[in-house]
């Protein structure tokens, strides 16, 4: 495990690369609703088999929630289960990472497996996209997705110091009521 000073130094080098003259071309982001409608597929949430893939067609309340995420600076969501809000959040964060440079989405959950499940879902959506404007870079692992535009998803189990070396663009805090350090 790297020390905090090493993690800070890595982050500093990453940010310097972003500001270099050969930085990545900025891509105009499509409307997130249109992008979801045209491109995104998810695992059927009503089937236990993760190989059943369906187009992600948003319900009116999911659209309302997505717009809330998009236009509000801070959102805290208390929700019931099986509303598709986790999928909406994952897909929106993926849209942020793909179409915006240097986005960091930090995922916190009660344990590492639960946090990595969100990363698995995001990676699955990304792999099934027809039009990829960025590439996944680095070695594939269960706890992180890194993109060629310096954006990333990173998973953490909630420990006392989880995520302290990172500056997040977006936080996903899943099942906070089950976290010791939530």
């Amino acid at each position: 495990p790297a020390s905090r000073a090493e993690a800070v130094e890595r982050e500093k080098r990453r940010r310097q690369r972003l500001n270099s003259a050969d930085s990545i071309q900025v891509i105009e982001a499509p409307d997130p609703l249109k992008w979801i409608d045209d491109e995104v597929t998810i695992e059927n949430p009503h089937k236990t088999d993760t190989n059943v893939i369906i187009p992600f067609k948003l319900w009116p309340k999911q659209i309302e929630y997505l717009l809330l995420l998009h236009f509000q600076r801070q959102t805290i969501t208390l929700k019931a289960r099986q509303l598709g809000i986790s999928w909406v959040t994952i897909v929106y964060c993926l849209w942020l990472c793909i179409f915006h440079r240097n986005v960091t989405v930090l995922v916190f959950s009660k344990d590492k497996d639960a946090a990595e499940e969100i990363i698995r879902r995001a990676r699955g959506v990304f792999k099934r996209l027809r039009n990829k404007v960025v590439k996944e870079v680095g070695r594939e692992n269960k706890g992180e997705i890194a993109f060629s535009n310096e954006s990333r998803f990173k998973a953490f189990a909630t420990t006392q110091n989880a995520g302290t070396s990172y500056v997040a663009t977006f936080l996903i805090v899943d099942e906070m009521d089950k976290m010791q350090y939530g």
Side-chain angles (χ1 to χ4, degrees), residues 93-139:
C93 287
L94 188 60
W95 175 84
L96 283 174
C97 285
I98 291 170
F99 294 105
H100 299 83
R101 292 180 57 212
N102 197 28
V103 168
T104 299
V105 176
L106 301 182
V107 179
F108 296 91
S109 197
K110 60 184 179 173
D111 57 39
K112 191 121 171 100
D113 286 343
E116 288 172 350
E117 172 61 15
I118 292 171
I119 300 295
R120 186 194 66 75
R121 289 182 187 189
R123 179 174 278 118
V125 170
F126 179 75
K127 284 186 173 187
R128 290 187 300 271
L129 293 174
R130 290 186 308 268
N131 300 307
K132 293 182 179 76
V133 297
V134 295
K135 292 183 233 158
E136 185 174 351
V137 295
R139 73 180 172 87

Side-chain angles (χ1 to χ4, degrees), residues 15-179:
R15 288 176 185 222
Q16 286 170 342
R17 282 193 315 272
L18 278 177
N19 294 326
S20 70
D22 59 67
S23 61
I24 297 163
Q25 177 183 359
V26 176
I27 297 160
E28 188 170 328
D31 173 81
L33 289 171
K34 182 167 178 17
W35 178 75
I36 290 169
D37 197 49
D38 291 348
E39 285 279 330
V40 175
T41 58
I42 63 169
E43 299 161 12
N44 187 335
H46 304 294
K47 305 282 184 193
T48 55
D49 181 1
T50 60
N51 293 323
V52 180
I53 305 302
I54 60 172
F56 194 24
K57 299 301 177 198
L58 297 172
W59 309 332
K61 288 294 182 183
Q62 290 173 323
I63 291 171
E64 190 177 312
Y65 182 69
L66 178 86
L67 293 173
L68 182 73
L69 291 178
H70 189 62
F71 291 111
Q72 295 299 315
R73 188 171 179 281
Q74 296 180 342
T75 305
I76 297 174
T77 306
L78 177 63
K79 64 169 198 69
R81 297 185 55 77
Q82 304 305 319
L83 299 175
I85 298 301
S86 294
W87 277 111
V88 171
T89 305
I90 291 165
V91 167
Y92 179 71
C93 287
L94 188 60
W95 175 84
L96 283 174
C97 285
I98 291 170
F99 294 105
H100 299 83
R101 292 180 57 212
N102 197 28
V103 168
T104 299
V105 176
L106 301 182
V107 179
F108 296 91
S109 197
K110 60 184 179 173
D111 57 39
K112 191 121 171 100
D113 286 343
E116 288 172 350
E117 172 61 15
I118 292 171
I119 300 295
R120 186 194 66 75
R121 289 182 187 189
R123 179 174 278 118
V125 170
F126 179 75
K127 284 186 173 187
R128 290 187 300 271
L129 293 174
R130 290 186 308 268
N131 300 307
K132 293 182 179 76
V133 297
V134 295
K135 292 183 233 158
E136 185 174 351
V137 295
R139 73 180 172 87
E140 186 175 307
N141 70 64
K142 294 190 299 186
E144 184 172 11
I145 307 172
F147 298 101
S148 57
N149 64 355
E150 298 288 334
S151 291
R152 61 189 168 178
F153 258 83
K154 189 152 179 63
F156 295 92
T158 50
T159 62
Q160 200 165 7
N161 296 312
T164 56
S165 298
Y166 296 88
V167 175
T169 307
F170 199 103
L171 291 174
I172 298 175
V173 182
D174 186 43
E175 299 195 38
M176 189 171 181
D177 62 322
K178 296 179 181 171
M179 296 179 188

